[in-house]
Amino acid sequence: MDKSRIAAFTDAVLAIILTIMILEFKTPDSFSIWAITGQLPYLISYAIGYLFIGTAWYNHHYMFAKTHRITKTVYWVNNFWMFSTSFIPVATAWVGRGFNEQGPEIFYGCVFFLWSFAYLLLSKTLIMANVSDGHEKAADSIRQMRIYRFLSNWKLVSIQVILVVLGLIYVPATQMLIVTLEIVFVGAHFNKDSDRLFES
């Protein structure tokens, strides 16, 4: 299967998801500059979602650049990953309307953990595809990604789940802080060769 077609399709889907998120931002009825403060919860939620998708796209690009062949399994798992990502605008909009409410935060948490599972599954599928083709170096590059090492470490994930559950019980909005910290310190820590993939 043509790798560039899959990458282009994924890029298009992620671009649409980002567009949908900003369309949820509502212009105030008043012309006072202070009227925008009413949209502050959504702006925070939107900024986290944008960082989330931007970081995910970069990691996805790296994995696909390293991969030599796209199998049918990779294709369908990638679709599952995009499916999970497509829920982010809904979760972002709902949290923006109830930033410290349990219902929206629980839904956001479910979307985040579904996305994490889908990303881990995609990573493992790409690793197996590379190993079966004899491209162990490419597989090892994906294994070395910090986000993959975090998501495949059940102890770290268990700690995260416990922290999120406690946060949802007592201060639901703390989940957004946990998600942001994971994006910044785990997802946005890229392999050293990530900005040199296409150097001649």
Side-chain angles (χ1 to χ4, degrees):
M1 186 169 288
D2 188 347
K3 185 170 70 170
S4 63
R5 293 291 301 277
I6 303 300
F9 177 54
T10 304
D11 290 349
V13 170
L14 294 184
I16 292 168
I17 289 170
L18 286 173
T19 304
I20 291 170
M21 283 203 309
I22 193 57
L23 291 176
E24 285 293 328
F25 180 77
K26 305 302 179 189
T27 1
D29 293 327
S30 168
F31 293 110
S32 167
I33 187 63
W34 303 109
I36 204 74
T37 58
Q39 289 293 318
L40 193 57
Y42 183 77
L43 281 173
I44 295 170
S45 180
Y46 169 74
I48 295 169
Y50 195 99
L51 178 66
F52 185 179
I53 293 176
T55 303
W57 178 86
Y58 195 96
N59 281 294
H60 184 278
H61 171 69
Y62 179 82
M63 291 193 299
F64 270 64
K66 285 288 184 177
T67 298
H68 292 265
R69 184 169 65 92
I70 302 299
T71 63
K72 284 182 288 187
T73 305
V74 169
Y75 169 74
W76 285 111
V77 174
N78 188 63
N79 277 328
F80 173 56
W81 175 76
M82 288 191 294
F83 173 75
S84 69
T85 307
S86 70
F87 283 97
I88 294 175
V90 181
T92 297
W94 200 14
V95 165
R97 291 203 299 272
F99 201 76
N100 198 35
E101 299 294 330
Q102 274 192 342
E105 292 286 357
I106 289 171
F107 181 71
Y108 196 101
C110 291
V111 170
F112 183 72
F113 284 112
L114 176 65
W115 180 93
S116 298
F117 171 74
Y119 181 87
L120 179 62
L121 185 60
L122 178 60
S123 302
K124 286 184 175 292
T125 306
L126 288 168
I127 288 168
M128 289 188 293
N130 280 295
V131 169
S132 67
D133 281 353
H135 299 292
E136 188 61 44
K137 189 175 178 180
D140 192 55
S141 291
I142 297 172
R143 289 192 197 100
Q144 293 306 312
M145 296 174 71
R146 181 176 286 189
I147 188 170
Y148 173 77
R149 286 185 285 139
F150 177 85
L151 292 176
S152 59
N153 186 323
W154 68 269
K155 291 180 181 178
L156 292 176
V157 173
S158 298
I159 291 169
Q160 182 190 12
V161 170
I162 291 168
L163 290 174
V164 167
V165 170
L166 289 174
L168 289 172
I169 292 171
Y170 297 106
V171 186
T174 57
Q175 176 188 226
M176 302 308 287
L177 176 62
I178 294 169
V179 168
T180 304
L181 291 174
E182 182 176 335
I183 294 167
V184 172
F185 293 108
V186 178
H189 186 90
F190 309 117
N191 287 14
K192 291 180 179 178
D193 64 339
S194 65
D195 59 349
R196 300 191 300 272
L197 290 173
F198 299 104
E199 287 183 354
S200 52

